Amino acid sequence: MPTDATRPYTASELLAVSSARALKDGQIVFAGVGVPLLAATLAQRTHAPGLTILFEGGVIGPFVQPGALPPSTNEQRCARRANMLTPITDVLLLLQRGYVDVGFMGGAQIDRYGNLNSSFIGDPDAPKTRLPGTGGGNDIASLAEIIVAMKHEKRRFVEKVDFVTSPGYLSGGDSRARAGLPAGGPYKVVTDLAVMGFDPETKRMRVETLQPGVTPEQVQANTGFDLAIARETPSAEPPSADELAILADLDPERLYTA
Amino acid sequence: MPTDATRPYTASELLAVSSARALKDGQIVFAGVGVPLLAATLAQRTHAPGLTILFEGGVIGPFVQPGALPPSTNEQRCARRANMLTPITDVLLLLQRGYVDVGFMGGAQIDRYGNLNSSFIGDPDAPKTRLPGTGGGNDIASLAEIIVAMKHEKRRFVEKVDFVTSPGYLSGGDSRARAGLPAGGPYKVVTDLAVMGFDPETKRMRVETLQPGVTPEQVQANTGFDLAIARETPSAEPPSADELAILADLDPERLYTA
Amino acid sequence: MAPTPYLELRERTKARDRSLRDKRMSLEEAAALIADGEHVALGGCTASRTPFAMIWALVRAGRRDLKVSRSIVSTEGDILYASGVSRHIMTSWFSQGIVWGVSKVMRAHVESGRATLEEWSHMAMGLRYRAGAMGAPFMPMRAMLGSGVLGRVEGAKPMECPFTGEPLLLVPALNPDVALIHVQRCDAYGNAQIDGLSFMDVDIAMAANRVIMTTERIVSNDQIRRAPDQTKIGFFTVDAVVEAPFGCAPHECYGVYEPFFPHMDAYAAATGKDPEKGVAEYLDRFYHEPKDWNGYLERIGVGDMLDAARRGRTIHAD
Amino acid sequence: MAPTPYLELRERTKARDRSLRDKRMSLEEAAALIADGEHVALGGCTASRTPFAMIWALVRAGRRDLKVSRSIVSTEGDILYASGVSRHIMTSWFSQGIVWGVSKVMRAHVESGRATLEEWSHMAMGLRYRAGAMGAPFMPMRAMLGSGVLGRVEGAKPMECPFTGEPLLLVPALNPDVALIHVQRCDAYGNAQIDGLSFMDVDIAMAANRVIMTTERIVSNDQIRRAPDQTKIGFFTVDAVVEAPFGCAPHECYGVYEPFFPHMDAYAAATGKDPEKGVAEYLDRFYHEPKDWNGYLERIGVGDMLDAARRGRTIHAD
């Protein structure tokens, strides 16, 4: 299986590039710092110059300075040369009002329906690990299509998440809409092994593209549930030199791409 | 009966002075332009320097320039040297949040329970006169104690208002609270003939002070419903020279005091 | 999922081009974005930041039967009724202004049954726009209960608060088809900075399905981005940007010009004497005869323009 | 009328001195306005505009068992748990920050059951404050439904929308006993102008029953009144004004200083290695040993202060 040691880019760079490619010009994108911000900025600099970035701190259309990436979505570096700043609640209400096309998400665990856990490992009443919690994640996942970018590990791709912090398709089918979430839902799951989508009927996760050099067997072996992988699944183009150069320009100290 | 011709101040000046005297230092007061603004500013310059004026256009703590009185509560003259400007909805929400002590009101008609009509004369479905409507009046009357300042005429002080634009005590007793308005309500009705309050139980209007030179009989004769007037009702002090001088300074062209 | 009002609102929003792009166009092009019968919300309040340039363009374009909503309506309501652009105005108060008194033109149209004046409380108007802006179906409020105002409107629902048992009124969201908003400055993308009183404009822009922004002047996006905390309406809500200097005349634009008082006095006098004839002559003279917006301003007169602008600047003169 | 939550809220508000008056006092005097067990809401978000000077004063005053709420909690949450000032924090996210990862101090306190971390969605926190600010008992929203987060909180009520039949969640108003807010500048009366990101501060100030405002500098009321549209929090909500330069250190204050990154790195390293010992030593060194707030800043160090301030100014340097 390819690793950071055997390919000319890191897993984080691969996540950023694949995520960027999943974005379309003109979209309004809720991004966190780290890989999501790199992905959205990379998209702006390649095929999506009219893409707008939102930060949950209350930032609309920022222009992040290369080499001065923000430590969170709530500090002044996020606000730098933005088009507009709003209270937090109002930028989140853009999700509810339907203005946001895509939200970026991560999580400690994900299941076959795209449900995400960033709150508890183990029993929530007596957790092995108390994680930071939802932040804006629950709101984003409830009200927009989401792209999940994370490392592909069996302990993260689990049969059932310990806790649903941010709803995916819940138990599949129309269960999400029935729970009161008629809009949005998981759109893509981008990992260092594959890019996955969801079956339109069952809402189960399925592989759409393999990352370069990765086999279907390797994807399945690193997934804690049965994953639909068609025999003829295509492989993605590796990150181009241009894409990697842009990422290096944005994050020269490799804070988020190491 | 005293008239503008027989006393050294106009009815409007008398309304402004009596209304000003009904205000207390430290209060937050919703004022319209005209007599209410003159009254609130007069109070600030006499006994209530810590009184705060609000305008429904979204103005908190303005300092109105003498001789440049605003034409409505929504133009920049209202905003002049204010402490804070807010959206309209937010200044109105101060009423709902409970920040406002007193609101000034007027109206075409008032009844014995302090209900005010500024919408229709005649049948609302086929009105003889369509009046401007509630504006912020309904909100102020629903959510704060109000001081009503108006000319005392039989056609205005009616047995039953043609339409309840701004609720007073509705049909008296606890009917206001039962309708969903547990707070606020009419506090004083200030006219050129008397200053009236409301019985704490029945919520019927009653005369508290007679304007200088006015008899109880004159008040009743100009009122379209039975008004409680105690035999020993005191008379108010006439406007002082100081009070009149301040009003003249504020409105030298007598736009609102003629 | 069957289409619900919420999903339909989202679909309309999703279908819009919300990207950072140049949206400059003429008044006439912007007027063509509005169809007969649509719900048009007006920014500003009474005689402040009234989007008169766009109203002028709608009259000229012969638009009909718009349902118009605004916080408080002044002389633009007369124009809308008398021109036939609207026969239904939803607001909390309709009068030229305290100093001029009730509108005789409004009275003529409403008392004769030719037009509807739908009256909500001021806060109810604000909370209806705010609910629309938030993508919420309603807002709870504590006024209008017990009044005749509540009895004459459709769509407000009293409820018992499920948390406290207290009586509440739920007022339904307003999501206008179009919002017309005039600002002191915005960029070509529609990022707008409003000085002074913002009225209900921020909520109206967010609630609407389309926004047409007129502006005293168009500034660079660079200028906007030097003070992003001053942007009150974001580009993504805006569909058209029209530079229209003195675009609120004869009303005011905070910090730029005060109301054109002599003009407003003359209008009140003319329509006070004979509302129908007064407003018809006014429409001819200021709306139909001028060949363009500058022609309208010429009829108002340079003297009045300079006087209003001199008074407008005094807010900054302390 | 029996006292309802709404009437009680109004009574508390009415009992406050809301007049325009000088409210300046010391950190210590302000800390005395807060009682053990009260609900204290913190302004700012993560490492921005955290009211650290007041938190420092609360630790020094030995305040106990405050229920603390904030949009997102960073290292101030560690301090509150470890000092005993709070054993119950309500927020949407608790971490020193993305680059430093999950708080080991929080984990130690929560996983051992010594403290509670009550988790709501970010928007739910915002709408709960907003409902409180509006004097409304709840706000309707469309997130949290279907999630585990909803299952673990008390007081949110799913409902069927009476207008559209759609599923909704009603989240209850939060009216904190006290709000602690730090701003770039305000006057002696409490009129506050916030530059840049305002987070949930405006709603929190309006929702709270008391507001303690710390500020980088106190300016004249005249200066405030030259730009009243910049006033974000009005004097009438404010009960105490404390001038506290660098009052967010080691967090940031927009346009004045960025986070004290070397200090934050050192804190993360110390508490990462041994959370209990690391934070105890940190409390001694920065909270208990200095004789006053300037002593706290001296321990942080002039070099770090100047470095953070230099980086803070760059937002204005384009």
Side-chain angles (χ1 to χ4, degrees):
Chain A
M1 193 167 76
T3 66
D4 283 8
T6 64
R7 54 190 174 191
Y9 42 84
T10 65
S12 295
E13 285 170 326
L14 184 59
L15 292 186
V17 168
S18 297
S19 300
R21 291 174 182 172
L23 298 172
K24 300 186 187 78
D25 197 17
Q27 287 184 323
I28 297 182
V29 176
F30 232 94
V33 296
V35 165
L37 177 57
L38 291 173
T41 308
L42 175 57
Q44 285 180 325
R45 297 203 182 183
T46 53
H47 63 284
L51 179 142
T52 297
I53 294 171
L54 307 183
F55 291 133
E56 70 179 39
V59 183
I60 294 170
F63 287 77
V64 171
Q65 198 176 17
L69 296 172
S72 91
T73 59
N74 303 300
E75 277 78 43
Q76 66 179 44
R77 290 188 186 188
C78 291
R80 199 176 180 82
R81 292 178 69 67
N83 281 272
M84 183 178 188
L85 305 182
T86 76
I88 288 174
T89 308
D90 295 280
V91 80
L92 293 168
L93 284 168
L94 291 183
L95 292 157
Q96 185 162 288
R97 178 62 183 76
Y99 265 107
V100 182
D101 295 289
V102 176
F104 270 104
M105 298 284 300
Q109 296 178 327
I110 188 170
D111 68 20
R112 74 173 77 238
Y113 296 114
N115 301 303
L116 288 159
N117 175 17
S118 56
S119 298
F120 302 97
I121 299 299
D123 175 3
D125 286 325
K128 187 171 153 292
T129 308
R130 185 42 159 122
L131 298 170
T134 162
N138 178 285
D139 306 309
I140 296 167
S142 296
L143 293 161
E145 297 193 346
I146 62 169
I147 296 177
V148 181
M150 58 194 282
K151 298 272 169 71
H152 207 128
E153 299 169 16
K154 201 161 191 164
R155 65 184 182 101
R156 292 173 176 270
F157 282 70
V158 296
E159 180 69 32
K160 189 172 169 1
V161 292
D162 294 345
F163 184 80
V164 179
T165 306
S166 302
Y169 292 111
L170 297 178
S171 56
D174 64 353
S175 60
R176 179 182 165 96
R178 278 189 285 108
L181 304 172
Y187 169 58
K188 301 287 179 201
V189 180
V190 176
T191 74
D192 48 330
L193 300 185
V195 175
M196 286 147 284
F198 291 83
D199 181 276
E201 291 303 317
T202 65
K203 308 294 188 188
R204 290 173 73 141
M205 201 186 293
R206 62 186 187 185
V207 176
E208 295 181 347
T209 323
L210 297 165
Q211 294 290 23
V214 176
T215 66
E217 292 70 26
Q218 287 166 340
V219 178
Q220 184 58 68
N222 286 280
T223 304
F225 52 84
D226 281 342
L227 197 51
I229 314 181
R231 194 162 305 223
E232 299 301 301
T233 302
S235 280
E237 285 296 311
S240 71
D242 273 1
E243 288 167 327
L244 293 172
I246 292 168
L247 292 177
D249 175 54
L250 292 173
D251 187 11
E253 295 174 48
R254 302 180 77 80
L255 288 175
Y256 299 109
T257 55
Chain B
M1 193 166 76
T3 67
D4 284 9
T6 64
R7 54 189 172 191
Y9 42 83
T10 65
S12 295
E13 284 170 326
L14 185 59
L15 292 186
V17 168
S18 297
S19 300
R21 292 176 184 172
L23 298 172
K24 300 185 186 79
D25 196 18
Q27 287 184 323
I28 297 182
V29 176
F30 233 92
V33 295
V35 166
L37 177 56
L38 291 173
T41 308
L42 175 57
Q44 284 179 327
R45 296 202 184 183
T46 52
H47 62 284
L51 179 141
T52 297
I53 293 171
L54 307 183
F55 290 134
E56 71 179 39
V59 182
I60 295 169
F63 287 77
V64 172
Q65 200 175 16
L69 297 172
S72 91
T73 58
N74 303 297
E75 279 75 44
Q76 67 180 40
R77 289 188 187 187
C78 292
R80 198 173 181 83
R81 294 178 67 68
N83 281 272
M84 182 178 188
L85 304 182
T86 74
I88 288 174
T89 308
D90 296 280
V91 81
L92 293 169
L93 284 168
L94 292 184
L95 292 158
Q96 183 163 288
R97 178 62 181 77
Y99 266 106
V100 183
D101 294 289
V102 175
F104 270 104
M105 299 283 300
Q109 296 177 329
I110 188 169
D111 68 18
R112 75 172 78 240
Y113 297 115
N115 300 303
L116 288 159
N117 175 18
S118 56
S119 298
F120 303 97
I121 300 297
D123 175 3
D125 286 326
K128 185 173 155 292
T129 308
R130 185 42 160 123
L131 299 169
T134 161
N138 178 285
D139 306 309
I140 295 168
S142 296
L143 294 162
E145 296 192 348
I146 62 168
I147 296 176
V148 181
M150 59 195 281
K151 298 272 169 72
H152 207 128
E153 299 170 14
K154 200 160 190 166
R155 66 184 181 100
R156 292 173 176 270
F157 281 71
V158 297
E159 179 71 33
K160 189 173 170 0
V161 292
D162 293 345
F163 184 80
V164 179
T165 306
S166 300
Y169 292 112
L170 297 179
S171 56
D174 64 351
S175 60
R176 178 182 166 98
R178 278 188 285 108
L181 304 172
Y187 168 58
K188 301 286 180 203
V189 179
V190 175
T191 76
D192 46 332
L193 300 186
V195 175
M196 287 147 282
F198 293 82
D199 181 275
E201 291 303 315
T202 66
K203 308 294 188 189
R204 290 173 76 141
M205 200 186 294
R206 61 183 187 187
V207 176
E208 296 182 345
T209 323
L210 297 165
Q211 294 292 22
V214 177
T215 66
E217 292 69 27
Q218 286 166 340
V219 178
Q220 182 60 66
N222 286 281
T223 303
F225 52 85
D226 280 342
L227 198 49
I229 315 181
R231 193 163 305 222
E232 299 301 303
T233 303
S235 281
E237 286 295 311
S240 71
D242 273 1
E243 288 167 327
L244 293 172
I246 292 169
L247 291 177
D249 175 54
L250 292 173
D251 187 11
E253 296 173 49
R254 302 181 76 82
L255 288 175
Y256 299 109
T257 54
Chain C
M1 191 77 188
T4 62
Y6 180 56
L7 287 173
E8 286 170 356
L9 177 68
R10 288 183 68 104
E11 281 311 309
R12 285 194 299 274
T13 305
K14 193 143 191 145
R16 295 162 67 185
D17 181 350
R18 289 157 287 133
S19 67
L20 197 73
R21 64 192 165 85
D22 191 337
K23 296 160 189 169
R24 287 173 295 177
M25 62 182 74
S26 69
L27 284 174
E28 291 72 18
E29 288 167 331
L33 300 178
I34 302 172
D36 287 354
E38 288 195 312
H39 172 192
V40 176
L42 306 181
C45 186
T46 326
S48 284
R49 282 200 300 96
T50 310
F52 253 124
M54 273 306 298
I55 291 169
W56 180 88
L58 292 174
V59 172
R60 304 264 294 193
R63 207 61 72 241
R64 280 288 174 280
D65 290 330
L66 300 181
K67 180 171 179 178
V68 172
S69 65
R70 196 182 191 209
S71 55
I72 279 179
V73 170
S74 174
T75 52
E76 80 287 359
D78 290 8
I79 301 299
L80 292 165
Y81 277 162
S83 65
V85 168
S86 176
R87 297 185 298 183
H88 187 150
I89 294 180
M90 186 192 329
T91 187
S92 67
W93 202 74
F94 188 145
S95 160
Q96 184 170 343
I98 293 274
V99 293
W100 299 284
V102 60
S103 162
K104 295 259 175 68
V105 177
M106 176 276 280
R107 285 192 55 192
H109 281 262
V110 172
E111 291 168 13
S112 65
R114 282 177 287 165
T116 300
L117 171 55
E118 182 181 344
E119 178 179 344
W120 293 74
S121 90
H122 208 18
M123 190 166 77
M125 289 297 302
L127 291 175
R128 293 193 66 187
Y129 289 131
R130 184 159 291 180
M134 294 169 77
F138 61 80
M139 279 288 116
M141 64 178 271
R142 303 183 192 270
M144 271 178 70
L145 291 160
S147 74
V149 180
L150 177 58
R152 288 186 69 81
V153 296
E154 278 179 25
K157 289 181 192 289
M159 98 179 287
E160 186 179 285
C161 175
F163 293 91
T164 65
E166 297 161 331
L168 288 174
L169 185 68
L170 307 186
V171 290
L174 267 187
N175 289 105
D177 293 307
V178 188
L180 308 183
I181 291 173
H182 186 84
V183 300
Q184 286 91 354
R185 62 190 171 281
C186 72
D187 66 19
Y189 310 135
N191 287 304
Q193 299 185 337
I194 298 174
D195 294 330
L197 297 162
S198 62
F199 304 120
M200 299 182 182
D201 294 22
V202 172
D203 287 330
I204 289 172
M206 195 62 70
N209 287 294
R210 266 165 288 149
V211 175
I212 296 174
M213 179 89 66
T214 54
T215 179
E216 291 294 318
R217 59 194 178 101
I218 293 174
V219 299
S220 69
N221 182 249
D222 269 358
Q223 176 172 333
I224 295 290
R225 290 196 276 112
R226 276 194 286 274
D229 52 1
Q230 301 305 301
T231 306
K232 300 282 174 64
I233 297 175
F235 70 90
F236 51 93
T237 65
V238 176
D239 301 88
V241 171
V242 185
E243 191 171 80
F246 286 94
C248 307
H251 288 181
E252 89 163 15
C253 183
Y254 185 103
V256 189
Y257 42 92
E258 277 207 326
F260 291 52
F261 289 121
H263 186 95
M264 297 281 280
D265 289 342
Y267 174 84
T271 54
K273 212 166 56 185
D274 183 340
E276 309 272 4
K277 183 156 162 281
V279 73
E281 286 174 0
Y282 186 88
L283 276 170
D284 281 344
R285 176 157 168 70
F286 293 98
Y287 283 73
H288 297 305
E289 289 169 11
K291 76 173 206 299
D292 55 19
W293 175 251
N294 286 355
Y296 167 91
L297 294 176
E298 268 165 17
R299 293 253 167 140
I300 287 181
V302 168
D304 278 15
M305 289 167 67
L306 294 179
D307 169 60
R310 180 187 53 73
R311 287 183 283 108
R313 285 191 302 271
T314 60
I315 196 87
H316 301 306
D318 277 325
Chain D
M1 191 76 188
T4 62
Y6 179 56
L7 287 173
E8 287 169 356
L9 177 68
R10 287 183 68 105
E11 282 310 308
R12 284 194 298 274
T13 305
K14 193 143 189 139
R16 293 162 68 185
D17 181 351
R18 289 156 288 134
S19 67
L20 198 72
R21 62 190 165 88
D22 191 336
K23 298 160 188 169
R24 286 172 294 177
M25 61 182 74
S26 69
L27 284 174
E28 290 73 17
E29 289 166 330
L33 300 178
I34 303 172
D36 288 354
E38 289 195 309
H39 172 191
V40 175
L42 305 181
C45 187
T46 325
S48 284
R49 280 199 301 96
T50 310
F52 253 124
M54 273 306 299
I55 291 169
W56 180 88
L58 291 174
V59 172
R60 303 265 293 194
R63 208 58 73 243
R64 280 287 175 280
D65 290 328
L66 300 181
K67 181 171 178 176
V68 172
S69 66
R70 195 182 191 210
S71 56
I72 279 179
V73 170
S74 174
T75 52
E76 81 286 0
D78 290 9
I79 301 300
L80 291 165
Y81 277 162
S83 65
V85 168
S86 177
R87 296 185 298 183
H88 187 150
I89 294 180
M90 185 191 333
T91 188
S92 68
W93 202 73
F94 188 145
S95 159
Q96 184 169 344
I98 294 274
V99 293
W100 298 284
V102 61
S103 161
K104 295 257 174 70
V105 176
M106 177 277 281
R107 286 192 55 192
H109 282 261
V110 173
E111 292 168 15
S112 65
R114 280 178 288 166
T116 300
L117 171 54
E118 182 180 343
E119 180 178 342
W120 293 74
S121 90
H122 208 18
M123 190 166 77
M125 289 297 301
L127 291 175
R128 294 192 66 188
Y129 289 131
R130 184 159 290 180
M134 294 169 76
F138 60 79
M139 280 286 115
M141 63 177 271
R142 303 182 191 272
M144 272 179 69
L145 292 160
S147 74
V149 179
L150 178 56
R152 287 186 70 80
V153 295
E154 278 178 26
K157 290 183 192 287
M159 97 180 286
E160 187 179 286
C161 175
F163 293 92
T164 65
E166 297 161 333
L168 288 174
L169 185 68
L170 306 186
V171 291
L174 268 186
N175 288 105
D177 293 306
V178 188
L180 308 183
I181 291 174
H182 186 85
V183 301
Q184 287 91 355
R185 61 189 172 283
C186 73
D187 66 18
Y189 310 135
N191 286 303
Q193 299 186 336
I194 298 174
D195 293 330
L197 297 162
S198 62
F199 304 119
M200 299 182 183
D201 294 21
V202 173
D203 287 329
I204 288 172
M206 195 61 70
N209 287 293
R210 264 165 288 152
V211 175
I212 295 173
M213 179 89 68
T214 54
T215 180
E216 290 295 318
R217 59 194 178 102
I218 292 175
V219 299
S220 70
N221 182 249
D222 269 356
Q223 176 172 333
I224 294 292
R225 289 195 279 114
R226 276 194 286 273
D229 52 1
Q230 302 305 300
T231 306
K232 301 284 175 61
I233 298 174
F235 70 90
F236 50 93
T237 65
V238 176
D239 300 87
V241 171
V242 185
E243 191 171 81
F246 286 94
C248 306
H251 288 181
E252 89 162 16
C253 183
Y254 185 102
V256 189
Y257 43 90
E258 278 207 326
F260 291 52
F261 288 122
H263 187 95
M264 297 281 281
D265 288 342
Y267 175 83
T271 54
K273 211 166 59 188
D274 184 338
E276 310 271 5
K277 185 155 161 283
V279 74
E281 286 174 0
Y282 185 89
L283 277 171
D284 281 343
R285 177 158 167 69
F286 291 98
Y287 283 72
H288 298 304
E289 290 168 11
K291 77 171 202 303
D292 55 19
W293 176 250
N294 285 354
Y296 167 91
L297 294 175
E298 267 164 16
R299 293 252 168 139
I300 286 181
V302 168
D304 277 15
M305 289 167 67
L306 293 178
D307 169 59
R310 181 187 53 72
R311 288 182 283 107
R313 286 191 302 272
T314 60
I315 198 86
H316 301 305
D318 276 327

